[in-house]
């Protein structure tokens, strides 16, 4: 009954707002869909960087281990000399 008493411009505005409500509902669904893809891409990039950081850490530990093999201090002569040094490098 209230719609019958509205002026022409008020009826047009009323219909425009109803249509915009439907458009915004579709847009919200579309935006949610697109944000799901965006979230997936961001997570993949984060995971790749996490793997790379782990590889860097592992490589630095391996390098430190290889360098430490050549820096082993020679044991005193009374404790076995070259044989003890060879055994220390194997461990």
């Amino acid at each position: 009954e209230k719609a019958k008493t509205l002026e022409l411009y008020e009826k047009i505005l009323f219909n425009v707002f109803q249509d915009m409500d439907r458009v915004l509902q579709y847009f919200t669904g579309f935006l949610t869909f697109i944000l799901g893809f965006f979230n997936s891409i961001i997570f993949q990039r984060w995971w790749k960087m996490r793997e790379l950081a782990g590889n860097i850490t592992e490589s630095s530990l391996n390098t430190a281990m290889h360098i430490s093999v050549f820096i082993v201090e020679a044991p005193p002569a009374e404790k076995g000399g070259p044989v003890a040094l060879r055994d220390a490098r194997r461990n």
Side-chain angles (χ1 to χ4, degrees):
E1 188 173 310
K2 182 141 182 141
K4 293 179 184 177
T5 61
L6 294 176
E7 297 292 324
L8 179 62
Y9 74 92
E10 292 174 330
K11 289 180 183 179
I12 291 172
L13 284 177
F14 181 73
N15 288 330
V16 166
F17 282 119
Q18 278 187 334
D19 291 341
M20 285 304 295
D21 183 46
R22 284 191 219 121
V23 168
L24 287 175
Q25 285 177 354
Y26 289 125
F27 182 70
T28 303
F30 176 73
L31 186 64
T32 304
F33 184 71
I34 295 300
L35 284 176
F37 281 117
F38 181 73
N39 191 22
S40 175
I41 290 168
I42 294 298
F43 182 76
Q44 287 174 354
R45 288 180 183 173
W46 175 82
W47 192 259
K48 185 67 175 172
M49 288 306 297
R50 182 184 173 279
E51 288 176 347
L52 291 175
N55 290 342
I56 291 170
T57 303
E58 182 182 352
S59 296
S60 63
L61 289 174
N62 287 339
T63 303
M65 182 179 61
H66 286 133
I67 290 172
S68 70
V69 166
F70 295 105
I71 303 179
V72 172
E73 209 174 293
E78 66 270 1
K79 289 191 176 180
V83 175
L85 178 62
R86 185 194 66 217
D87 292 342
R89 285 187 177 168
R90 285 187 182 167
N91 293 334

